[in-house]
């Protein structure tokens, strides 16, 4: 054990032990990481995953922690926080490393007269996190602007370039979400040239919409569940909830709508609450435990299944829990 600590410290200078993860998530929930390392450059990120592999230590890459729920017991292994912060603009192309905040790119792009990312205004994540989960709105996502992604493949110990089509993007999905050996180092994005006034207008509207519909003054992880891709065809349900007809036409039923119709807005367990403002957000009202959030998630899934006959799938990633939550 002592040998392992000395070895890891030698390989990753600056590594820390027992770092409380709640301070690195937007939910403000999460116990300690056994080991915690901040990678500031690509070489450090690669070295960190190689070290974890060599020492057979479980690892997890953390961006801004805005789409994760971490257990109160924390994580036995190595948390690698990606703080790769280089970016540059060339004409309508942007090169950005994985730790760069998405909001910074959107803001700088607007100054260059580049836009078309209004869905991302106010998303509190990194470029790496956004590509991992194909972040976006119902209609648009980062997929629309990604040209290439630079990846380190831990299994093959090799750098790779993925073109957009290799990323297998779909609604809140990507090849990266299904293969934890693929570490996102950087990406090139191709943006549209748009009049600055138009971008400003669009972004202001988008931000206002977010402020009016999301509980931004409480810690959360954004939407807990993905929208339901598919149709709800039961006649009694369509009669009772006519909005479903429109959602069926679009092919996606918002999870927040379904949770709301189960009467769960405001439902509270411990310090966690299903937001009264947006039923797909669970907020931390102060001292929420991961266990409180898990109980609400289970309750929602049971209620939606019972009322609408469908299984909601989580959008957030879980860390530090046993496999069968
Ligand atoms: C108030 C609020 C509003 C939000 N609104 C939206 C929205 O409109 N649309 C939307 O899609 N999401 C939204 N989110 C969710 C979240 O902000 C996004 O999904 C964001 O892109 C996650 O980025 P992150 O850096 O925080 O990732 P993290 O939460 O740190 O990580 C998420 C996953 O990505 C993986 N990951 C991160 N970086 C890398 C990397 N370099 N290589 C490999 N894997 C990596 C992690 O291992 C983890 O599994 C919202 C969240 C909040 C709190």
């Amino acid at each position: 054990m002592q040998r392992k600590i000395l070895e890891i410290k030698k390989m990753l200078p600056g590594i820390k032990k027992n770092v409380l993860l709640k301070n690195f998530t937007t939910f403000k929930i999460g116990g300690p990481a056994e080991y915690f390392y901040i990678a500031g450059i690509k070489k450090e990120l690669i070295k960190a995953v190689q070290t974890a592999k060599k020492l057979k230590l479980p690892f997890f890459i953390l961006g801004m922690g805005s789409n994760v729920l971490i257990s109160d017991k924390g994580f036995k292994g190595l948390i690698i926080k990606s703080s790769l912060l280089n970016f540059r603009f060339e004409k309508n192309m942007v090169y950005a490393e994985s730790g760069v905040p998405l909001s910074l790119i959107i803001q700088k792009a607007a100054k260059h007269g580049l836009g078309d990312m209004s869905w991302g205004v106010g998303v509190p994540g990194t470029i790496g996190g956004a590509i991992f989960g194909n972040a976006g709105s119902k209609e648009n996502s980062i997929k629309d602007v990604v040209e290439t992604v630079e990846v380190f493949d831990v299994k093959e110990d090799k750098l790779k370039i993925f073109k957009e089509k290799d990323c297998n993007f779909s609604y809140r999905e990507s090849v990266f979400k299904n293969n934890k050996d693929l570490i996102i180092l950087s990406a090139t994005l191709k943006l549209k040239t748009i009049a600055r006034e138009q971008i400003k207008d669009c972004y202001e509207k988008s931000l206002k919409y977010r402020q009016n519909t999301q509980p931004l003054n409480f810690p959360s992880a954004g939407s807990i569940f993905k929208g339901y891709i598919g149709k709800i065809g039961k006649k009694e349900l369509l009669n009772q909830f006519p909005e479903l007809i429109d959602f069926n036409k679009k092919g996606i039923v918002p999870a927040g709508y379904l949770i709301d119709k189960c009467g769960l807005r405001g439902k509270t367990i411990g310090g966690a609450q299903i937001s009264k403002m947006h039923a797909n957000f669970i907020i931390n009202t102060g001292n929420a435990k991961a266990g409180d959030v898990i109980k609400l998630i289970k309750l929602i899934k049971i209620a939606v299944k019972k009322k609408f006959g469908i299984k909601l799938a989580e959008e957030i990633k879980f860390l530090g829990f046993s496999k069968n939550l």
Side-chain angles (χ1 to χ4, degrees):
M1 188 62 178
Q2 190 59 24
R3 221 186 106 229
K4 198 173 190 176
I5 298 170
L6 291 176
E7 204 172 344
I8 198 168
K9 279 197 165 160
K10 205 164 136 198
M11 289 166 109
L12 300 174
I15 196 167
K16 292 194 174 133
K17 274 207 85 181
N18 293 324
V19 172
L20 211 50
L21 292 169
K22 69 194 279 187
N23 298 325
F24 295 91
T25 69
T26 56
F27 233 149
K28 300 291 169 229
I29 294 176
E34 186 182 9
Y35 297 104
F36 184 86
Y37 179 72
I38 299 182
I41 54 173
K42 282 184 202 174
K43 232 168 110 181
E44 289 174 353
L45 184 50
I46 294 171
K47 184 80 186 285
V49 289
Q50 284 173 328
T51 302
K53 187 180 167 191
K54 187 172 170 222
L55 300 179
K56 296 195 169 53
L57 206 57
F59 71 88
F60 186 86
I61 311 286
L62 194 64
M64 282 163 85
S66 65
N67 213 16
V68 289
L69 177 65
I70 302 179
S71 132
D72 302 315
K73 289 193 187 130
F75 179 62
K76 255 194 120 26
L78 171 63
I79 294 285
I80 306 162
K81 181 163 167 60
S82 161
S83 277
L84 277 56
L85 296 174
N86 284 315
F87 66 89
R88 61 176 179 271
F89 284 81
E90 252 166 61
K91 294 186 179 148
N92 64 335
M93 301 294 288
V94 190
Y95 162 86
E97 290 183 345
S98 61
V100 179
L102 178 69
S103 58
L104 182 66
I105 293 299
I106 293 176
Q107 189 195 342
K108 297 275 180 195
K111 286 199 176 135
H112 284 78
L114 300 170
D116 212 18
M117 287 181 84
S118 44
W119 59 264
V121 176
V123 173
T126 58
I127 290 288
I131 290 174
F132 178 91
N134 189 22
S137 60
K138 272 174 228 102
E139 298 83 15
N140 301 100
S141 67
I142 197 147
K143 167 193 189 299
D144 308 338
V145 295
V146 168
E147 283 281 293
T148 58
V149 180
E150 183 193 12
V151 169
F152 181 72
D153 187 327
V154 185
K155 199 168 169 196
E156 295 182 22
D157 201 41
K158 184 158 130 185
L159 283 171
K160 291 180 177 174
I161 299 290
F162 281 47
K163 294 197 176 117
E164 185 273 328
K165 67 172 172 30
D166 306 322
C167 297
N168 291 347
F169 287 124
S170 61
Y171 172 65
R172 297 298 168 272
E173 287 294 334
S174 74
V175 69
F176 311 108
K177 217 167 177 177
N178 298 304
N179 184 346
K180 74 178 292 295
D181 284 321
L182 301 178
I183 311 301
I184 301 161
L185 299 177
S186 71
T188 52
L189 313 177
K190 189 176 180 181
L191 302 181
K192 277 195 187 139
T193 308
I194 300 177
R196 280 188 179 78
E197 271 314 300
Q198 198 183 326
I199 298 177
K200 194 167 164 258
D201 239 41
C202 237
Y203 288 3
E204 275 173 8
K205 267 188 206 142
S206 192
L207 197 58
K208 254 208 182 98
Y209 177 76
R210 213 177 259 285
Q211 285 161 347
N212 289 334
T213 56
Q214 298 181 356
L216 301 181
N217 45 351
F218 285 96
S220 79
S223 292
I224 296 287
F225 296 99
K226 296 183 201 175
Y228 173 70
I229 304 281
K231 291 180 182 177
I232 296 179
K234 264 196 181 159
K235 251 203 165 141
E236 316 86 81
L237 287 173
L238 295 175
N239 287 338
Q240 197 181 347
F241 306 110
E243 296 90 346
L244 286 176
I245 298 167
D246 201 35
F247 295 140
N248 281 346
K249 273 188 207 146
K250 290 181 181 149
I252 180 166
V253 187
Y257 174 85
L258 299 171
I259 300 165
D260 183 30
K261 294 303 169 198
C262 290
L264 289 173
R265 261 181 211 252
K267 175 80 189 163
T268 305
I269 295 183
Q273 183 182 74
I274 298 174
S275 165
K276 291 176 188 159
M277 200 172 185
H278 190 314
N280 197 16
F281 274 56
I282 292 179
I283 56 170
N284 178 354
T285 60
N287 291 310
K289 299 269 167 253
D292 301 334
V293 178
I294 295 289
K295 282 180 197 153
L296 284 177
I297 288 176
K298 284 185 176 162
L299 191 126
I300 289 171
K301 288 176 90 167
I302 291 169
V304 169
K305 175 89 178 132
K306 194 167 166 212
K307 195 167 199 97
F308 294 98
I310 59 174
K311 197 173 165 208
L312 282 181
E314 291 89 346
E315 179 181 318
I316 58 166
K317 285 297 261 186
F318 295 93
L319 184 65
F321 298 92
S322 64
K323 276 219 166 86
N324 34 358
L325 277 175

